Amino acid sequence: MINLSGQSVQDARLFGYVEQQIHQFGIDPGMICFEISESVAISNFVHAKRVMNALHSLGCHLVLDDFGSGFSSLSYLRELPLSYLKIDGNFVHNLVSSPVDAAMVKAVHEVGQVMNLLTIAELVEDGETLVRLRQIGVDFAQGYYCGRPIPLVQLRDRLESERTLEVKAA
């Protein structure tokens, strides 16, 4: 997943650059998922929608990040070519202790289900929260409880090391 800043989304060169990189490096666009925050998407909706449709036409996936932080945008949700909804961490963080936050998480997940979108809960910090998210039916979790972020090169090195071990074991 790649976060796109508001500045990136507004850059007229973004789509051409992404398209060129995909072709130059033979990347399967279905392996790329761009995250655009809800606030960026609605601040210049027409332009953001154009960029999102263009990236979607390449075969990339799209996430509306921090969804729920601005519920006024629910009407826009129908018009965006999304694959995922990422539930704002402010609701997830207090999911276990706050019935209101639990209801918000459940509501966002249910909207996602009706629209055939997968849901991602961010800011998952403990096992109890993860259990509650599973009970609600949220598809994915993101946060320190699930794993700390690491540089891409470290991830690549770890995966290469694991593949080497698999080959030796076989």
Side-chain angles (χ1 to χ4, degrees):
M1 293 194 178
I2 301 169
N3 279 301
L4 293 178
S5 67
Q7 185 177 4
S8 296
V9 171
Q10 297 304 318
D11 189 334
R13 301 168 296 175
L14 173 69
F15 176 74
Y17 176 77
V18 169
E19 184 177 40
Q20 186 258 336
Q21 295 298 304
I22 286 172
H23 293 306
Q24 179 179 342
F25 293 99
I27 299 168
D28 174 4
M31 298 297 292
I32 301 172
C33 191
F34 290 103
E35 294 186 25
I36 299 173
S37 75
E38 179 180 27
S39 60
V40 168
I42 60 177
S43 67
N44 188 345
F45 183 74
V46 172
H47 181 74
K49 182 179 175 184
R50 189 178 314 122
V51 169
M52 293 171 82
N53 280 324
L55 293 170
H56 183 259
S57 72
L58 285 176
C60 300
H61 295 281
L62 296 157
V63 173
L64 191 60
D65 195 10
D66 298 329
F67 184 74
S69 60
F71 267 108
S72 63
S73 65
L74 278 173
S75 62
Y76 295 116
L77 192 57
R78 295 181 287 233
E79 300 182 43
L80 300 174
L82 301 170
S83 299
Y84 302 89
L85 275 182
K86 187 178 277 191
I87 303 167
D88 188 271
N90 288 318
F91 299 123
V92 176
H93 182 68
N94 296 316
L95 170 69
V96 174
S97 61
S98 168
V100 172
D101 287 349
M104 294 290 219
V105 169
K106 186 175 181 186
V108 172
H109 172 68
E110 288 175 355
V111 168
Q113 280 189 310
V114 170
M115 295 183 69
N116 294 315
L117 302 175
L118 296 172
T119 51
I120 304 167
E122 59 184 11
L123 205 62
V124 177
E125 303 293 323
D126 57 67
E128 195 174 1
T129 300
L130 184 61
V131 167
R132 184 72 180 105
L133 289 167
R134 285 184 179 143
Q135 290 170 345
I136 291 170
V138 172
D139 300 292
F140 298 100
Q142 175 185 3
Y144 286 158
Y145 183 76
C146 305
R148 297 209 176 252
I150 61 172
L152 186 57
V153 290
Q154 285 182 10
L155 178 61
R156 181 200 63 204
D157 293 345
R158 182 187 308 166
L159 292 173
E160 286 177 358
S161 175
E162 288 174 6
R163 285 190 194 122
T164 302
L165 291 174
E166 288 174 7
V167 169
K168 287 181 181 179

